[in-house]
Amino acid sequence: MFPVEIFYTQRPEQDYLQAAIKTCVNIHKDDKEGDILLFLTGEEEIENACLQIREDCKALGDTVGKLLVVPLYSSLPPQQQQKIFDKAPGPNSKGIPGRKVVVSTNIAETSLTIDGIVYVVDPGFSKQKVYNPRLRVESLLVSPISKASCKQRSGRAGRTRPGKCYRLFTENSFEKDLIENTYPEILRSNLSNVVLYLKKLGINDIVHFDYMDPPAPETLMRALEQLNYLGALDDEGDLTEVGKLMSEFPLDPMLSKMVISASQKYSCVQEILTIVSLLSVPNVFLRPRENQAEADSAKRKFVHIDGDHLTLLNAFNAFTIKGMQQDWCWNNFLNYRALKQANDVRNQLSRMTEKMGLELTSTSKTDSDYYDNIKKCILSGFFMQTAHLERNGHYLTLKDDSIVMIHPSTSIDGKPQWIMYNEFILTSKNYVRTVTTIKPEWLFEMSEDYFDLSEFKNSESKRKLERIQQKW
């Protein structure tokens, strides 16, 4: 609507976070009134930036106007997200006008308009989904944004009046290093769900299908391989009976395999529908920076000794027993919106399961195999995401031999010998998250093809599995 003046740095920034904080403080010191929108990549980075901007501006005393600093990211509770629409503070005792700073992920790039934004600070990064076909894992990685995203961000400053955009990278970098448009998601995703759906439609030549953006053949091959290991496709690449059932669910194939296994083999459909629904929503447990100790204490009430999947199940069961009360969630540091969403997903999946003629079974909690059956059922979908403890204290993923660590957010106490995990997080260290303990002999029960030890590299994993297989 209005012109936006673009500024670049003279030299590349060594630390874009500190450069972004400094830029916001300088705008508040030196520029005329108008709110600031700073783009960062995730919750931790945003909360750190908010804290430091507040402290740095407070140190300037009444030489600058009052400042309201508000974060915005997807897992923030709705009432706190609404604060981005609050008006900037009024003038201070010296008549200097106040200002609002919104520190946001790229959710503010296109999804909403915040009135009053005059200045945009853009370090040029965002978290993007990236699929590693070798590890069969999707991760969110901090990556440079595209030129199109840069232009979209700068445009947030010119909605109501002329604005300024401070790009914390050089103009030469913008012209030569950034791609024109963000890569389509199909090129950055696990395609197992897509391949299963195409097979359901009767499209058998997956590689030569007329995609708008053709994915890499390796990614397609990995998807076919994964579906074969899960029992959804036979060795000729045709849908099996299990695959036909899996294709009816709007779920990742590993999750739909859990539901099928729960009904056909392990008699724990009710529990698995709950766990699958909870894995489909973000951040069930809240851990606000200012109440971390209280949040950790509240979480301990729900912790199951065997790991995170069963801890999630305990939390949801308590939520339903308490009548799904919002205040109870707030007092126990649980994400009410996520739990309500999980309940909606669960109801939808229950209706679909019944419609398909699958029995909604549930084993008695007094049954000695109750928790083992639930864990086996989860493992039926996630046997390709397992790891064992090495003597040096690190975990090694099975078959791929990647060194990983259990994420600090886990509810597991200590270091169990064998684990399965829901997420693989690539940061400065490789973490696995949402982790549950398993018994190694279960692995051969899940997929003798995948655990064909003749295909394993010579490693500690292989030697351990050979000893277990002999006993099994």
Side-chain angles (χ1 to χ4, degrees):
M1 298 288 288
F2 294 90
V4 176
E5 201 174 351
I6 308 289
F7 299 92
Y8 294 92
T9 58
Q10 296 299 308
R11 291 175 299 280
E13 295 289 349
Q14 288 187 325
D15 184 333
Y16 72 81
L17 179 59
Q18 289 307 313
I21 292 164
K22 186 178 177 183
T23 303
C24 289
V25 174
N26 286 341
I27 291 170
H28 189 49
K29 274 197 308 186
D30 303 330
D31 280 317
K32 295 177 183 174
E33 61 184 299
D35 296 338
I36 303 168
L37 174 58
L38 165 60
F39 285 99
L40 291 175
T41 65
E43 177 181 346
E44 186 177 356
E45 207 173 69
I46 287 171
E47 291 290 0
N48 285 338
C50 288
L51 188 66
Q52 195 169 335
I53 291 168
R54 288 188 196 108
E55 287 177 353
D56 290 357
C57 290
K58 190 177 179 182
L60 298 170
D62 60 4
T63 60
V64 296
K66 296 175 185 175
L67 192 68
L68 171 66
V69 186
V70 287
L72 179 62
Y73 46 86
S74 61
S75 59
L76 201 64
Q79 63 269 32
Q80 287 181 258
Q81 290 188 13
Q82 288 299 313
K83 290 181 180 178
I84 65 168
F85 300 113
D86 291 354
K87 290 194 180 302
N92 66 5
S93 57
K94 291 189 173 180
I96 303 171
R99 194 190 306 271
K100 178 172 68 180
V101 180
V102 178
V103 188
S104 173
T105 61
N106 55 359
I107 192 173
E109 208 174 281
T110 55
S111 304
L112 49 87
T113 297
I114 306 165
D115 289 336
I117 298 295
V118 176
Y119 307 97
V120 166
V121 180
D122 179 12
F125 292 96
S126 71
K127 275 188 181 169
Q128 294 181 21
K129 185 164 73 172
V130 177
Y131 178 62
N132 182 327
R134 187 180 67 82
L135 297 175
R136 302 180 186 83
V137 168
E138 285 179 339
S139 294
L140 287 171
L141 292 182
V142 175
S143 312
I145 59 175
S146 64
K147 289 179 184 175
S149 286
C150 284
K151 289 168 185 169
Q152 190 72 43
R153 290 181 175 189
S154 63
R156 312 316 281 177
R159 297 280 159 168
T160 52
R161 56 175 154 164
K164 294 179 179 179
C165 175
Y166 296 88
R167 291 180 178 161
L168 305 182
F169 45 90
T170 64
E171 190 167 7
N172 186 56
S173 182
F174 174 80
E175 296 295 344
K176 294 186 176 177
D177 297 339
L178 300 189
I179 58 174
E180 287 294 332
N181 294 289
T182 306
Y183 288 119
E185 196 164 325
I186 194 170
L187 304 182
R188 300 181 280 114
S189 301
N190 178 356
L191 299 182
S192 295
N193 217 357
V194 173
V195 170
L196 186 61
Y197 187 68
L198 290 173
K199 288 285 183 181
K200 177 188 170 185
L201 295 176
I203 297 161
N204 288 316
D205 191 353
I206 301 297
V207 175
H208 297 104
F209 180 72
D210 190 17
Y211 303 96
M212 288 179 69
D213 295 287
E218 184 190 5
T219 308
L220 287 169
M221 290 302 108
R222 279 293 192 184
L224 288 164
E225 182 184 59
Q226 185 184 53
L227 291 170
N228 178 244
Y229 285 135
L230 288 169
L233 300 179
D234 61 24
D235 290 344
E236 279 69 51
D238 297 322
L239 268 183
T240 62
E241 289 306 311
V242 168
K244 287 173 187 173
L245 288 172
M246 287 168 62
S247 70
E248 294 297 321
F249 287 97
L251 294 169
D252 182 283
M254 292 191 292
L255 297 176
S256 57
K257 177 63 184 291
M258 285 166 54
V259 178
I260 306 301
S261 298
S263 68
Q264 295 187 340
K265 196 170 182 181
Y266 298 109
S267 300
C268 54
V269 177
Q270 298 284 9
E271 291 81 1
I272 289 301
L273 288 178
T274 299
I275 291 168
V276 164
S277 303
L278 290 164
L279 294 177
S280 305
V281 300
N283 297 1
V284 168
F285 295 101
L286 298 175
R287 195 171 186 261
R289 181 176 294 271
E290 63 277 11
N291 303 106
Q292 288 181 351
E294 295 97 314
D296 291 343
S297 175
K299 184 177 178 179
R300 280 194 284 274
K301 290 185 283 189
F302 308 109
V303 163
H304 191 284
I305 192 171
D306 286 350
D308 298 319
H309 295 90
L310 298 175
T311 298
L312 285 168
L313 179 64
N314 285 347
F316 184 86
N317 288 342
F319 172 62
T320 53
I321 288 166
K322 294 293 181 181
M324 301 189 181
Q325 295 173 18
Q326 190 166 359
D327 287 346
W328 178 83
C329 288
W330 181 257
N331 293 333
N332 286 277
F333 293 88
L334 292 170
N335 187 336
Y336 173 76
R337 185 171 65 162
L339 287 167
K340 281 288 286 179
Q341 189 181 344
N343 187 59
D344 292 342
V345 172
R346 192 188 184 285
N347 290 337
Q348 180 192 355
L349 293 175
S350 295
R351 290 193 297 270
M352 294 181 72
T353 306
E354 285 185 300
K355 191 177 175 183
M356 291 160 64
L358 301 174
E359 214 176 327
L360 295 179
T361 53
S362 180
T363 318
S364 168
K365 218 172 183 182
T366 56
D367 191 316
S368 59
D369 291 332
Y370 177 74
Y371 287 114
D372 276 0
N373 280 342
I374 295 171
K375 292 199 292 180
K376 280 184 182 180
C377 200
I378 299 166
L379 187 61
S380 72
F382 284 87
F383 58 83
M384 286 174 270
Q385 293 183 195
T386 48
H388 77 93
L389 183 65
E390 289 193 294
R391 281 167 288 192
N392 62 11
H394 288 125
Y395 283 88
L396 200 66
T397 61
L398 297 182
K399 206 165 188 178
D400 299 314
D401 286 339
S402 296
I403 294 171
V404 294
M405 298 173 69
I406 295 180
H407 195 271
S409 64
T410 187
S411 54
I412 288 179
D413 189 18
K415 288 191 169 183
Q417 287 293 317
W418 298 85
I419 58 170
M420 61 182 162
Y421 56 89
N422 192 58
E423 296 171 275
F424 190 113
I425 304 165
L426 299 166
T427 57
S428 54
K429 295 175 182 174
N430 292 344
Y431 284 110
V432 290
R433 190 163 63 183
T434 315
V435 173
T436 291
T437 63
I438 58 170
K439 293 178 182 175
E441 56 269 26
W442 295 348
L443 297 170
F444 300 104
E445 189 181 321
M446 297 306 144
S447 176
E448 287 190 64
D449 288 341
Y450 185 76
F451 293 101
D452 178 354
L453 298 183
S454 65
E455 294 182 9
F456 276 56
K457 300 172 191 171
N458 282 320
S459 64
E460 192 177 337
S461 302
K462 183 175 181 177
R463 289 188 289 277
K464 278 189 176 181
L465 285 169
E466 281 173 338
R467 290 194 293 272
I468 289 156
Q469 190 180 41
Q470 285 164 9
K471 291 177 187 175
W472 186 69

